[in-house]
Structure formats: C-alpha cells, structure tokens
Amino acid sequence: MEKIVEKLWPELNWIGNELLREKTAKTWELALMKSVLKPEDLYSIPFTLLCGPDLKVSFMAHKRCVVHAAKQCGEKMNEFFESDLPVNMDVLISGAILADVGKLLEYELDDEGKAVQGKYGKYLRHPFSGVSLAEEC
C-alpha cells in the first residue's frame, strides 16, 4: 500500500518533516484500506458529486492541483511576509494532501461504475471522516 500512496502522491516528498510525511501517507493508506474505491478509481471519479455528470475533472487531478496551488501560495506568503507571518510549508502541504481524504469513505461506485454518495457518506460527511482518519494516524 505504501508504494501505491507514493505513486498517488509524489508531493509527499515536499514535506521535509519525516514524521509528518509518514503520518500523512499513513492516513491515505488507511483511507484506501477502508474504501470500496481502488487507487485507479481516483483518476476517473469526479472530485465532487455536486456538478452533475458532465464534470470531467477527476478527483486526483483536482487534489493534486490544490496541493500545487497551496504550495505556491505558501511560498508567496513567505516571500512577502517573511518572519512577520511565516507559513509552515510542511503543515500546509500535509493539510492540502489530506483535504478530502474522507471522500474515499463517502463515495461508492454504482452498478455502472459511476461515483455516488454511499450510505456512510450520507451520515458522516468527508470533512469529519477525514479528520477522524488523520487523528487515527
């Protein structure tokens, strides 16, 4: 599972703090173990179920874009504000990678392979399940 997460998230290497990097990866490993989704599904399911069937942006394309954007924002803030308002880049990147990890528990695939909100997701939405996964790790 570790190699799968590393393949999904090469951006983990941007986290300099080894313990935080490991815990971030472990959270994704745990989510994948608990999920009905396979890692390859993450490249085809939509990043949200709210935009209808025509949405072409996959979960992983969106997630990785968010991580890259967060990194660039943090770097710019550190450039402009320096020590007056420092951004901990390790925490920022870990948080961006972990955002929406709970969707792996919220989504299910229907009989046609289309992503839908599952029973678990109807009762516990992904922000809460994601925090629970991260807290466990």
Side-chain angles (χ1 to χ4, degrees):
M1 187 65 73
E2 186 177 328
K3 293 292 183 200
I4 292 168
V5 171
E6 288 175 10
K7 184 176 179 186
L8 282 172
W9 287 111
E11 294 83 359
L12 283 164
N13 291 312
W14 293 348
I15 302 172
N17 181 303
E18 186 177 345
L19 183 59
L20 182 59
R21 183 174 55 248
E22 288 173 7
K23 288 182 177 190
T24 304
K26 288 285 182 208
T27 303
W28 270 87
E29 289 173 22
L30 180 61
L32 285 165
M33 286 188 300
K34 291 184 173 195
S35 179
V36 299
L37 300 172
K38 298 179 193 80
E40 57 270 16
D41 293 331
L42 304 180
Y43 294 100
S44 60
I45 64 170
F47 78 90
T48 181
L49 300 176
L50 301 176
C51 292
D54 296 331
L55 183 64
K56 303 289 187 248
V57 179
S58 76
F59 178 82
M60 281 310 294
H62 169 74
K63 286 297 305 150
R64 292 191 65 220
C65 178
V66 166
V67 173
H68 283 247
K71 180 178 183 273
Q72 290 179 347
C73 287
E75 289 169 345
K76 277 295 171 195
M77 289 181 72
N78 281 337
E79 178 185 325
F80 276 88
F81 306 132
E82 298 171 350
S83 62
D84 293 333
L85 186 63
V87 174
N88 182 322
M89 293 300 292
D90 286 350
V91 171
L92 176 72
I93 293 165
S94 174
I97 290 172
L98 291 175
D100 288 345
V101 69
K103 284 187 179 181
L104 276 66
L105 306 183
E106 185 174 330
Y107 285 18
E108 289 182 4
L109 299 177
D110 66 12
D111 294 337
E112 298 168 5
K114 180 182 164 202
V116 296
Q117 186 181 45
K119 189 175 183 179
Y120 182 92
K122 289 179 183 173
Y123 295 108
L124 187 65
R125 297 298 312 270
H126 64 274
F128 301 103
S129 56
V131 167
S132 178
L133 288 166
E135 183 178 54
E136 193 171 329
C137 294

